[in-house]
């Protein structure tokens, strides 16, 4: 079971440290990342790196807690709690300086020791409301 969990755990550890090279190394070269909240997808390590850098730019102090981890076969489902302060552009919207807390479900598929697919489920509307970006 550790083989399935290892790249997911390593990915989270690198993300918390804002270690781009470490996070990218946990992904397959042709890994797919589907961000259901923003409605965007990436299709390789370069796309993943750009997506992650944009998240860090928008929330320079972004961090998260892993609340639950459940491996099932070669899939790992995790409940996460993200926190941060909106300090940069997010989906074309300027920084508000407001803090946020967001619950995310991450479903990652692992093959040959790397993540081949990651789907993130959350409500962008929930985050936007906390950041004062809704009418």
């Amino acid at each position: 079971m550790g083989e399935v969990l290892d790249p997911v755990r390593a990915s989270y550890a690198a993300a918390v440290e804002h270690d781009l090279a470490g996070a990218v190394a946990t992904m397959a070269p042709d890994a797919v990342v589907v961000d259901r909240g923003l409605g965007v997808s990436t299709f390789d390590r370069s796309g993943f790196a750009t997506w992650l850098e944009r998240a860090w730019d928008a929330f320079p102090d972004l961090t998260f807690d892993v609340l639950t981890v459940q491996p099932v076969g070669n899939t790992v489902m995790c409940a996460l709690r993200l926190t941060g302060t909106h300090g940069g552009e997010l989906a074309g919207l300027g920084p508000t300086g407001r803090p946020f807390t967001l619950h995310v479900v991450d479903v990652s598929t692992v093959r040959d020791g790397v993540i081949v697919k990651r789907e993130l489920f959350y409500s962008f509307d929930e985050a936007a409301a906390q950041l004062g970006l809704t009418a």
Side-chain angles (χ1 to χ4, degrees), residues 18 20 27-28 59:
H18 292 208
L20 186 62
M27 306 299 285
F59 304 99

Side-chain angles (χ1 to χ4, degrees), residues 1 6 9 15 19-21 24 29 33 36 39-40 44 46 56 73 79-80 86-87 109 113 117-120 132 135:
M1 195 58 59
D6 290 345
R9 288 181 175 146
D19 172 7
L20 186 62
V24 169
V33 175
R36 299 283 181 189
V40 299
D44 56 23
S46 175
W56 291 338
L80 311 170
H86 186 207
T109 304
K117 184 174 184 183
R118 171 169 274 165
E119 286 190 82
L120 302 166

Side-chain angles (χ1 to χ4, degrees), residues 13 17-18 22 24 36 39 44-45 49 61 65-66 71 73 75 81 93 97 106 109 111 113 131:
E17 295 298 321
H18 292 208
V24 169
R36 299 283 181 189
D44 56 23
R45 283 180 170 167
D61 61 347
D65 298 306
V66 178
T75 300
R81 180 178 50 236
L93 305 168
D106 171 1
T109 304
R111 192 172 307 119
L131 300 175

Side-chain angles (χ1 to χ4, degrees), residues 49-130:
T50 299
W51 172 83
L52 193 53
E53 286 178 312
R54 287 182 180 157
W56 291 338
D57 287 347
F59 304 99
D61 61 347
L62 181 65
T63 191
F64 59 90
D65 298 306
V66 178
L67 305 175
T68 304
V69 177
Q70 182 61 55
V72 178
N74 68 333
T75 300
V76 180
M77 295 168 282
C78 301
L80 311 170
R81 180 178 50 236
L82 281 68
T83 57
T85 306
H86 186 207
E89 184 180 320
L90 173 68
L93 305 168
T96 64
R98 289 184 168 187
F100 83 105
T101 298
L102 184 65
H103 290 87
V104 176
V105 173
D106 171 1
V107 180
S108 293
T109 304
V110 175
R111 192 172 307 119
D112 298 326
V114 291
I115 299 166
V116 296
K117 184 174 184 183
R118 171 169 274 165
E119 286 190 82
L120 302 166
F121 298 87
Y122 62 94
S123 170
F124 180 77
D125 292 341
E126 177 187 347
Q130 291 180 58

